[in-house]
Every structure is written in structure tokens, then in C-alpha cells.
Amino acid sequence: MDEMEKGEERGSIRNSPFQIKLPIFIALALVAGVLIGATTFSPSANNPQDTARSYLKYREILSYIDRDYVDTVNIEELSDYAITKMLEKLDPHTAYIPADELAMARSQLEGDFEGIGVEFNIFQDTIYVITPLSGGPSEAAGIQAGDKIVKVDGRNVAGIGITNEGVFKHLRGKKGSEVNLEILRKGSSKPLNFTLERSKIPTTSVDVSYMVDNKTGYIKVSRFSSDTFEEFKQALTKLKKKGLQQLILDLRGNPGGYMDHATRMADEFISGDKMIVYTDGKGDKYDSRTNARTKGDFENGPLIVLIDEGSASASEILAGALQDNDRALIVGRRSFGKGLVQMPIPLDDGSELRLTISRYYTPSGRSIQKPYHGDPEEYEKDMLHRYENGEYFHPDSSLFADSLKYKTLHGRAVYGGGGIMPDVFVPRDTTELSPYLSQLYNKNVLREYTLGYYRDHRKELEKMPFDKFNQNFKVTDAMLEQVLKIAEKEDVKYDGAQFNRSKNLIRNNLKAFIARSVYGNAGFFPVLHESDEEFQQALKQFGRAQHLAKSGA
């Protein structure tokens, strides 16, 4: 993970096909989807007397607790808890964010931040540098991949249970401010000291774009932040200059973000003034309708969109618009099902209420939001239930009932029920997974080995063009033996049968991680896609996508 939450997690775990091949790690990231621009709110006058009575009751009880309860209590903390529990009765995405957590909650959608510019990962209770960000202070100072940050401004940060938030707190700061780092580097007998001046670090949400072959392009969008549309346009323009005729748009693991960037992206693919999305709330105050309105840069060529259970909110708006307008073939698995619009309401103490004020609907009339029955814990177990019910391995037949059937612009059947149902279902590929492989991932054995390999072979690797690396570089048996030695030191018990089952995937991931250290995401993803079943299936579906493009023209 790096300072803007994209590093190891985003680059090589959360948003990559690599994670899709891991055993299930159920950890829902219910990231805020759309944050529309209203900042004031006047309560409805539907039940003024009930509202007044409830308010007075709450105030009275809180006063009695503060004055007469046997023990001293933190009234503010108690009030925050009551608010949080009250909001849980509404829906899973209405939320109260205390003032001290607000900056972190907003940072995921910011286009840049101020810091030292490193991608990092925490393992063995130590901050490891994955890579310095290009053009940032860390790169200029000579910080390298594999460096261990052990002290920041003289304070120990190793072996203290530091979290990602703790790293942000230590490394981020105002532009122009200085930070002192003490670093341990393999091959250096003494710690190294660096003084860096923080600067503004641009972040990206288009992880990678490249030509798969002489006519097929690929663009991966990991979130919809304040710069996403511009990044996407640049990537699309670059690919068109290289001969783009057909495109894979990868929205897997994309938790959403700003809706307008998703709708503007949809407009690049959808011709005329066709509908993209509409919202429906109480009365018509927050109702809206968004249509295509500009001449897009890729309105006619075959288009495939990859989604999975991690695709949410703005990702689902984009995928649903393209599917309902018969513009794209959707490949993968059912998306998350986050279709509620939140309005941010600043409160007097600096905290914020994010209140659901309407629902999203695709052009055919499908509600994106999956069911919620008032139990947040049960709602958060939805992904686990999908796994237990086998939905990751075959489509859930209950979601194909006639009552959930809708029609696209040209009469194709699509289905509601929460989330976007793909046109082509691709099950999770578990053929090469094993408990032994899981332990290698959990102990960070693969990443530790590849950081060391890159450090030891950096000069020769950086002289090699990526095409030559991709064609000629092989992960040898000797390299695998070294991985096994690291695993043994980390108390990962060897299992020959499980190792052989996962060997090809291990080779692929080692090569991908090494490529990432040398070439960044432009090297990482093309290698990873060689063992990515969903990506490979998408490549086989361009015949259907071509037919769809012609019929929708």
C-alpha cells in the first residue's frame, strides 16, 4: 500500500487478477460511491411533531446520563455510537464520519496528495518500499525498492504494529516540509539516513493501458477519482495512435467514486443522446437523468468490459449503461450491488453525514442496489454467502427469474436483483490454488524474493526492453528453490503435491513482480494476464462483441 492507498494492495493484490486467483479473503471495501455536490439540507416536513418529540427524548436521555450516571462517560463518544447505530437501520451506505476520520475518508477520491512519493507494503511489522514513485522526492533522494523504513523523524516505526493509517500520518505532510528517514538496505552494514522535502505527488486511477496485439487495447481503471476521465482519455488516445480497433475495459475491483467521471467515460462509447443512468429519490428533489451528449472517441468498435464482485457503484453505472445500450459485452461475475446515492452533509463539529437521497437505475430500469434487510453484519457477509452458494463458480439461477428480467435497447434480456449480471460468466479459476500457495502469499514470501532478485540484478534488468524481458525471461527451478528456502525460514511447511499444483502460477507471479520492479504496471499486468482466466476468456469473446457493435450501430 502506498501513501494514497494504491501501492502493494492496489497494484498487485486488490485490483489485480492475481488476487482473483487467491483463496477467498472476505474484506468488503464499502468505499463511498458518488458524492454529489449539495452541501446543505433542509429536513422534510412530513412528520414535524414526531421528529421534534424524538429529538427531545434523545436530548433528555443524554442529559440524564451526563448528570446522573454512576460512572463518568465520554458523552461525545456515546453520541457518535448512537448515531452510527441509528443509521444502520436505514441502509448500509448512509454513514456518519467523525471529524478526525474525514480527511482519510476523502483522500481516496483526491487526485493527488502531498508526501514523499513511495509505494509501500507492511510485512513482518516493517515498512518495505515497493518502489519510489516516478518524479517524487524519494526517487530523487535515491530510495530504492526493498528499503526498510525503520525510523521517521527519530521515532521508531518498526516492530510497533504500525498500520497503513500510521504510515500516512508519518509520511504525508505539507508541501515543502521536511521529513527524516532512517532506512535499512540489504548490503549496507549501517542504517542510511535521508532528509526529504515533501512535495505534491500526483496519483493515478488508470493503472495501465497497453496494446495486447496489433488491434486489441486494454485499459484498467481502478477507481473513479478527480482525474480519472482525463487519464482515461489520454490512455484511449495513445492506444488509438497504436492502431486500436477493439478494447477491453477492466473494472474488476473498482469500488467506484465520482459518478460524473463514470458517465463521461460512458459517453465516449455511447452514440447519440441515449440514456446512461437515472436516479429516483423521495419526491423529485433528487431525481436526475444523465444522457450521452458528446461525440465519443470510441463509439463503434468492439468493446468488452470486465467486472467482478469487487466492481461497485460508479463501475456498475458504467457497465450497466454500456450493457443496456447494447454497446459492450460484459464478461466476468456479478458486480457488488452498490446503487445508492449519498449526499455529503457537513456538520458543525467538522464531522460529516453521508445520507442516501436516491437510488441509481440503469437505462432499462434495473436498480443496481442489492437487497438490505437492516442487518449490516449480514449485509457484509454477502460475498461470503456468494462463495458458499457457489456463485463464484456458476451463475445463481435465482437471479434469472422472470420478475427480474429487463430488456436492453435492442431487446436482449438482462437481469436485475442487485449488481450487474455479466453476459458471459467466467468462474473463479481455482485449479492452481493450494493452502501452501496461500501461506506463501500471507507470509509475503514471493514479494520478499522478487524484491531481493531485482536489487541483485537491477543493472542488467534495466538495460532490457520489456518485450525482450517478456519473451525471454524465465523463472528457473533454481529460483524456485530459493523461494522455498525463504518459505522455510518463514515457517511455511513444504508440501510437494500442493507446490506442484501451484508451480505455474508461482512462476507467473514471480515474473510479474520482477517486471513491476523494472517496468512498473506496464510490465506487471501484461505478464499477470498470461495466467488470468478472465482476461483470456475476454480475448475469446470479441466475435460476440463485434456482432453487438454492429447490431447496436
Side-chain angles (χ1 to χ4, degrees), residues 155-437:
R155 295 182 180 180
N156 183 42
V157 293
I160 62 169
I162 195 164
T163 63
N164 291 317
E165 289 74 17
V167 178
F168 297 155
K169 182 178 179 181
H170 282 89
L171 299 185
R172 285 184 176 182
K174 187 176 180 180
K175 180 180 178 181
S177 63
E178 289 189 344
V179 59
N180 298 299
L181 304 183
E182 184 174 299
I183 282 175
L184 297 181
R185 178 175 296 167
K186 186 176 180 181
S188 297
S189 58
K190 297 181 180 180
L192 305 175
N193 291 287
F194 294 86
T195 299
L196 285 72
E197 183 178 298
R198 295 182 178 97
S199 66
K200 181 160 284 189
I201 311 296
T203 65
T204 58
S205 51
V206 173
D207 284 352
V208 69
S209 63
Y210 72 97
M211 292 296 292
V212 182
D213 53 38
N214 59 7
K215 66 177 181 179
T216 307
Y218 171 90
I219 300 176
K220 180 172 181 59
V221 182
S222 61
R223 61 179 180 154
F224 289 94
S225 65
S226 58
D227 297 320
T228 299
F229 180 71
E230 287 73 20
E231 292 176 30
F232 166 76
K233 283 280 285 185
Q234 291 173 9
L236 187 61
T237 299
K238 180 183 71 174
L239 295 184
K240 288 183 70 175
K241 290 179 179 178
K242 293 182 178 180
L244 172 71
Q245 298 177 36
Q246 54 191 29
L247 177 66
I248 296 175
L249 178 64
D250 192 346
L251 301 179
R252 290 175 296 176
N254 183 323
Y258 291 122
M259 183 182 76
D260 64 318
H261 285 257
T263 57
R264 291 169 70 192
M265 194 178 295
D267 203 352
E268 291 299 307
F269 299 115
I270 296 172
S271 62
D273 62 351
K274 301 181 182 74
M275 186 192 299
I276 293 174
V277 67
Y278 70 94
T279 64
D280 186 25
K282 183 182 291 184
D284 58 8
K285 183 176 182 180
Y286 297 115
D287 293 354
S288 67
R289 173 177 171 141
T290 302
N291 284 43
R293 56 187 177 84
T294 62
K295 175 65 176 175
D297 281 348
F298 196 72
E299 291 185 349
N300 298 311
L303 175 63
I304 291 175
V305 176
L306 282 170
I307 62 170
D308 65 8
E309 54 280 349
S311 308
S313 190
S315 299
E316 297 173 290
I317 291 171
L318 175 55
L322 296 174
Q323 186 179 46
D324 281 6
N325 282 293
D326 296 298
R327 177 63 192 92
L329 191 73
I330 311 298
V331 175
R333 292 182 298 278
R334 180 164 67 106
S335 62
F336 182 84
K338 197 280 187 185
L340 300 175
V341 185
Q342 277 74 54
M343 176 173 66
I345 304 171
L347 304 178
D348 289 342
D349 67 347
S351 59
E352 185 173 275
L353 172 65
R354 292 183 177 174
L355 185 68
T356 296
I357 45 101
S358 59
R359 289 183 173 85
Y360 292 122
Y361 292 86
T362 70
S364 67
R366 292 180 289 167
S367 172
I368 292 172
Q369 180 62 35
K370 62 187 175 184
Y372 177 66
H373 304 293
D375 185 345
E377 291 186 8
E378 190 66 19
Y379 182 84
E380 291 183 4
K381 291 179 181 177
D382 176 62
M383 295 299 169
L384 178 60
H385 294 328
R386 293 192 196 187
Y387 176 72
E388 292 173 339
N389 295 336
E391 188 182 332
Y392 290 160
F393 307 102
H394 53 78
D396 185 349
S397 60
S398 68
L399 298 171
F400 293 89
D402 286 344
S403 60
L404 300 174
K405 184 185 291 187
Y406 294 80
K407 295 291 185 180
T408 67
L409 187 65
H410 293 94
R412 289 191 306 138
V414 289
Y415 292 86
I420 301 299
M421 296 290 292
D423 300 305
V424 179
F425 176 82
V426 182
R428 282 202 174 197
D429 181 9
T430 60
T431 55
E432 296 181 336
L433 299 181
S434 68
Y436 181 74
L437 178 62

Side-chain angles (χ1 to χ4, degrees), residues 124 443 445 448 483-492:
Q124 298 177 333
K443 296 281 189 175
V445 171
E448 184 177 346
V483 170
L484 295 179
K485 289 179 180 178
I486 296 175
E488 186 177 355
K489 290 180 181 178
E490 296 297 328
D491 296 324
V492 179

Side-chain angles (χ1 to χ4, degrees), residues 1-2 5-16 18 118-123 128-131 444 446-448 450-451 513 516 524:
M1 173 116 18
D2 70 322
E5 296 198 304
K6 87 174 174 88
E8 186 67 3
E9 179 177 320
R10 181 173 149 204
S12 62
I13 297 180
R14 188 185 67 186
N15 287 329
S16 73
F18 168 48
V118 292
E119 295 184 21
F120 69 88
N121 188 23
I122 300 172
F123 55 89
Y128 280 75
V129 174
I130 299 303
T131 186
N444 285 288
L446 303 185
R447 192 60 180 136
E448 184 177 346
T450 54
L451 282 172
F513 281 135
R516 185 174 187 234
F524 177 74

Side-chain angles (χ1 to χ4, degrees), residues 412-522:
R412 289 191 306 138
V414 289
Y415 292 86
I420 301 299
M421 296 290 292
D423 300 305
V424 179
F425 176 82
V426 182
R428 282 202 174 197
D429 181 9
T430 60
T431 55
E432 296 181 336
L433 299 181
S434 68
Y436 181 74
L437 178 62
S438 297
Q439 291 185 67
L440 295 182
Y441 291 142
N442 294 340
K443 296 281 189 175
N444 285 288
V445 171
L446 303 185
R447 192 60 180 136
E448 184 177 346
Y449 172 77
T450 54
L451 282 172
Y453 185 92
Y454 169 68
R455 192 166 48 237
D456 295 340
H457 299 82
R458 182 174 181 176
K459 290 183 179 179
E460 60 191 85
L461 287 170
E462 292 184 347
K463 292 178 181 178
M464 191 184 306
F466 172 69
D467 289 343
K468 183 177 179 181
F469 170 90
N470 197 28
Q471 183 176 356
N472 298 325
F473 186 88
K474 307 296 180 186
V475 175
T476 64
D477 289 342
M479 294 170 67
L480 293 179
E481 287 294 329
Q482 294 174 29
V483 170
L484 295 179
K485 289 179 180 178
I486 296 175
E488 186 177 355
K489 290 180 181 178
E490 296 297 328
D491 296 324
V492 179
K493 187 177 180 180
Y494 179 72
D495 186 304
Q498 293 182 19
F499 173 73
N500 287 327
R501 176 180 177 180
S502 303
K503 184 182 290 187
N504 288 335
L505 184 56
I506 292 172
R507 289 184 192 274
N508 172 267
N509 289 169
L510 290 173
K511 182 177 178 179
F513 281 135
I514 293 169
R516 185 174 187 234
S517 293
V518 184
Y519 311 102
N521 283 346

Side-chain angles (χ1 to χ4, degrees), residues 100-115:
D100 60 351
E101 298 177 14
L102 192 56
M104 181 63 65
R106 287 174 173 169
S107 67
Q108 290 208 0
L109 298 179
E110 293 174 354
D112 49 39
F113 64 95
E114 294 175 352

